[in-house]
Amino acid sequence: MSIFLISLLILIHLSPSSPAASDDQYHLKLPLLHKPPFPTNPTQSLSSDLLRLSTLHKKSPQLPLTSGASTGSGQYFVDLRIGTPPQRLLLVADTGSDLVWVQCSACRNCSNHPPNTSFFPRHSSTFSPHHCFDASCKLIPHPRHVACNHTRRHSPCRYEYSYSDGSLTSGFFSRETTTFNTSSGNVVKHSKLAFGCGFNLSGPSVTGPSFNGAHGVIGLGRRPISLPSQLGRRFGNKFSYCLMDYTLSPPPTSFLLFGNNLAVKKSYTPLVINPLSPTFYYIGIKSVFIEGVKLPISPSTWAIDSFGNGGTIVDSGTTLTFLPDPVYSRILKVFKKLIKLPSPNETTPGFDLCINVSTESRPSLPKMSFKLVGNSVFSPPPSNYFIDTAEDVKCLALQPVGLPSSFSVIGNLMQQGFLFEFDSDRLRLGFSRRGCAGP
Ligand SMILES: *[C@@H]1O[C@H](CO)[C@@H](O)[C@H](O)[C@H]1NC(C)=O
Ligand SMILES: *[C@@H]1O[C@H](CO)[C@@H](O)[C@H](O)[C@H]1NC(C)=O
Ligand SMILES: *[C@@H]1O[C@H](CO)[C@@H](O)[C@H](O)[C@H]1NC(C)=O
Ligand SMILES: *[C@@H]1O[C@H](CO)[C@@H](O)[C@H](O)[C@H]1NC(C)=O
Ligand SMILES: *[C@@H]1O[C@H](CO)[C@@H](O)[C@H](O)[C@H]1NC(C)=O
Ligand SMILES: *[C@@H]1O[C@H](CO)[C@@H](O)[C@H](O)[C@H]1NC(C)=O
Ligand SMILES: *[C@@H]1O[C@H](CO)[C@@H](O)[C@H](O)[C@H]1NC(C)=O
């Protein structure tokens, strides 16, 4: 795999539009958005999380990229400009997958197609499909029964990326120019983005309401084909994001940044590599505290076993947080004991602990924190693990997962309001409660 990584890095080349190169070409900052209609129904979030997790579980060694999937509910979107002249598309930002792909349309005269809903390669002067014999073409899974004739000049690289629920995106693995704004407003062009131009899409993971109107996915995972890997060394093999609480009004700006975020002092925990799931960013949890009291949990509960099961991933594409059954049960028990507020008059399907907060304008909820490997402590506010499910009703936004075949997920609700920096060179995850105002 490393030989392809090197060839990709050589392919990448950035040309700042202004000749006065400055430091800020090493920061690319993209706004992260929520596209309405956003499903505020937590039961719907739960069902799309469960669909996503069922697809994340698929491990198929012969296909290099099947590990990721993206159901769009509760997602953050990136407004990406792609092509020459740039076309705008809204893509799901996903740390749980690697491929960058957009919905493509083969129209020649696209004026009667809805604008900004798919990419029109024939309207771009820089679109170029990879040849099926290119090294980059070997990085992605191909449809069956498509042979590469390397003596033919026009033999495009076909890809087929399938999810375990049967959803599929397939088309041509291609090269395009993307246009980014730097953090100080300069425009930077990245001329060799490798991406999937998807002509055939099917299934609930990539169409339908759970995809929530997105036009594709930006894979932010660890493999060579992801956007951070492609931008690579020019941006210090680092990216960070800040997911803000989209229910606030007016909604604050969330962002995705490639490059250094030096101004912010962060706590760190090592990123753990699981060779059997090389896409994901794993971290190590050591213990859970509620109101400062450590829960009695065996350290082996958090381990990754020799089959690659277990462990904890940080995922921008899952809304809720999923913890091993024994941990979840402990937390639930302690929270039930500590919370004195009444239950609502109706149950919320899929949630075990809900409270009626109508009598408290600012209900005080127990503080939970996670001690991580490297002795840093992640202390999210209760709004990161209690979700509003109806007026005056809050539910514990945690879910149990069965060991040993499963793994834990720190979902995007739990990450809200923190800067997270994924540093692949130093193999560490930095986080800070203060980084969200941006560098
Ligand atoms: C669609 O994208 C074009 C650029 O390709 C942009 O000028 C236009 O404002 C976009 N339209 C909408 C509705 O976002
Ligand atoms: C493109 O389509 C529009 C609307 O259907 C039509 O008016 C126009 O003449 C077409 N242009 C070309 C070059 O075919
Ligand atoms: C490959 O393409 C060349 C040129 O088009 C053609 O002559 C040759 O028969 C093809 N080979 C196969 C195995 O299809
Ligand atoms: C799309 O699907 C159709 C029918 O399944 C197939 O004939 C076609 O080759 C596919 N196109 C691409 C680009 O994969
Ligand atoms: C860059 O920022 C300017 C000003 O905020 C905005 O008008 C423009 O559309 C942005 N361009 C891109 C590629 O995001
Ligand atoms: C919450 O409690 C108040 C006061 O007891 C009650 O009027 C209201 O119906 C309850 N709401 C729910 C959703 O249970
Ligand atoms: C529960 O309480 C809410 C808010 O007071 C009310 O609108 C709803 O009708 C109640 N449901 C039942 C089953 O009593």
Side-chain angles (χ1 to χ4, degrees):
M1 197 55 95
S2 64
I3 196 161
F4 300 123
L5 177 58
I6 290 162
S7 66
L8 259 177
L9 290 173
I10 292 167
L11 285 175
I12 296 318
H13 120 117
L14 283 160
S15 45
S17 62
S18 80
S22 69
D23 262 351
D24 77 15
Q25 79 187 80
Y26 298 103
H27 301 242
L28 295 182
K29 191 174 183 181
L30 304 171
L32 287 171
L33 322 158
H34 267 282
K35 187 174 184 290
F38 183 77
T40 44
N41 174 350
T43 307
Q44 194 181 331
S45 295
L46 174 58
S47 64
S48 50
D49 276 358
L50 293 175
L51 171 65
R52 175 181 173 83
L53 293 187
S54 70
T55 66
L56 291 178
H57 281 196
K58 187 180 181 195
K59 292 199 185 81
S60 175
Q62 70 275 24
L63 297 178
L65 287 171
T66 42
S67 45
S70 291
T71 62
S73 155
Q75 300 286 9
Y76 289 84
F77 296 87
V78 174
D79 179 0
L80 193 75
R81 320 284 160 114
I82 175 165
T84 308
Q87 301 179 29
R88 283 177 70 173
L89 293 168
L90 216 46
L91 308 181
V92 174
D94 185 16
T95 57
S97 65
D98 300 294
L99 181 67
V100 179
W101 67 267
V102 306
Q103 195 171 322
C104 278
S105 169
C107 55
R108 283 174 200 282
N109 177 358
C110 307
S111 54
N112 53 1
H113 287 65
N116 311 48
T117 53
S118 39
F119 177 63
F120 305 134
R122 287 190 163 123
H123 286 209
S124 170
S125 60
T126 42
F127 177 77
S128 145
H130 287 291
H131 191 276
C132 63
F133 203 61
D134 288 352
S136 336
C137 193
K138 299 194 170 60
L139 294 170
I140 55 148
H142 307 292
R144 273 175 234 278
H145 316 301
V146 174
C148 180
N149 182 340
H150 65 266
T151 58
R152 260 176 55 197
R153 271 187 60 227
H154 298 290
S155 196
C157 174
R158 285 172 179 272
Y159 80 94
E160 185 175 271
Y161 190 93
S162 63
Y163 303 118
S164 60
D165 68 343
S167 299
L168 193 80
T169 154
S170 69
F172 300 112
F173 194 53
S174 310
R175 249 193 312 262
E176 250 304 3
T177 297
T178 52
T179 309
F180 297 99
N181 269 346
T182 64
S183 32
S184 58
N186 288 349
V187 172
V188 163
K189 284 192 189 301
H190 170 52
S191 57
K192 296 276 164 61
L193 173 76
F195 77 110
C197 188
F199 285 98
N200 285 350
L201 311 178
S202 60
S205 285
V206 294
T207 60
S210 70
F211 206 47
N212 203 17
H215 312 127
V217 173
I218 289 193
L220 297 171
R222 291 188 45 245
R223 305 190 125 199
I225 221 74
S226 73
L227 186 58
S229 302
Q230 292 194 50
L231 296 174
R233 281 183 297 212
R234 292 300 291 261
F235 298 95
N237 285 321
K238 247 184 225 146
F239 71 96
S240 49
Y241 60 61
C242 188
L243 310 176
M244 296 302 285
D245 183 351
Y246 53 85
T247 61
L248 296 178
S249 153
T253 317
S254 303
F255 62 83
L256 170 66
L257 184 139
F258 294 93
N260 270 320
N261 217 322
L262 293 173
V264 181
K265 191 172 170 338
K266 295 170 274 284
S267 303
Y268 292 97
T269 189
L271 287 171
V272 179
I273 291 184
N274 178 355
L276 294 166
S277 283
T279 296
F280 300 147
Y281 297 95
Y282 283 86
I283 58 167
I285 298 181
K286 283 171 85 172
S287 37
V288 179
F289 291 79
I290 296 178
E291 292 293 333
V293 180
K294 182 175 164 181
L295 304 185
I297 294 163
S298 154
S300 65
T301 311
W302 304 108
I304 299 176
D305 70 16
S306 54
F307 303 104
N309 297 314
T312 305
I313 67 167
V314 177
D315 185 16
S316 67
T318 302
T319 304
L320 305 173
T321 285
F322 291 74
L323 295 172
D325 242 334
V327 178
Y328 174 80
S329 312
R330 287 262 173 213
I331 293 174
L332 189 63
K333 203 167 142 200
V334 174
F335 273 16
K336 280 184 168 164
K337 208 169 85 192
L338 292 176
I339 296 176
K340 303 290 185 228
L341 293 164
S343 299
N345 60 4
E346 293 172 46
T347 59
T348 308
F351 293 87
D352 292 328
L353 172 59
C354 297
I355 47 176
N356 179 341
V357 295
S358 64
T359 54
E360 314 267 318
S361 59
R362 306 199 66 196
S364 110
L365 296 166
K367 298 208 170 28
M368 176 166 64
S369 57
F370 298 87
K371 187 165 179 196
L372 306 177
V373 173
N375 286 330
S376 54
V377 178
F378 175 57
S379 305
S383 55
N384 285 22
Y385 47 88
F386 276 92
I387 190 170
D388 295 322
T389 60
E391 197 173 338
D392 293 335
V393 178
K394 285 185 189 296
C395 295
L396 181 64
L398 302 179
Q399 292 290 323
V401 289
L403 291 176
S405 65
S406 210
F407 53 85
S408 304
V409 182
I410 305 294
N412 63 38
L413 184 68
M414 192 65 91
Q415 300 172 43
Q416 278 185 2
F418 283 79
L419 176 90
F420 278 91
E421 180 188 74
F422 298 78
D423 182 339
S424 291
D425 275 351
R426 300 179 73 174
L427 275 179
R428 62 184 191 173
L429 178 74
F431 56 94
S432 161
R433 190 75 200 273
R434 270 184 279 283
C436 286

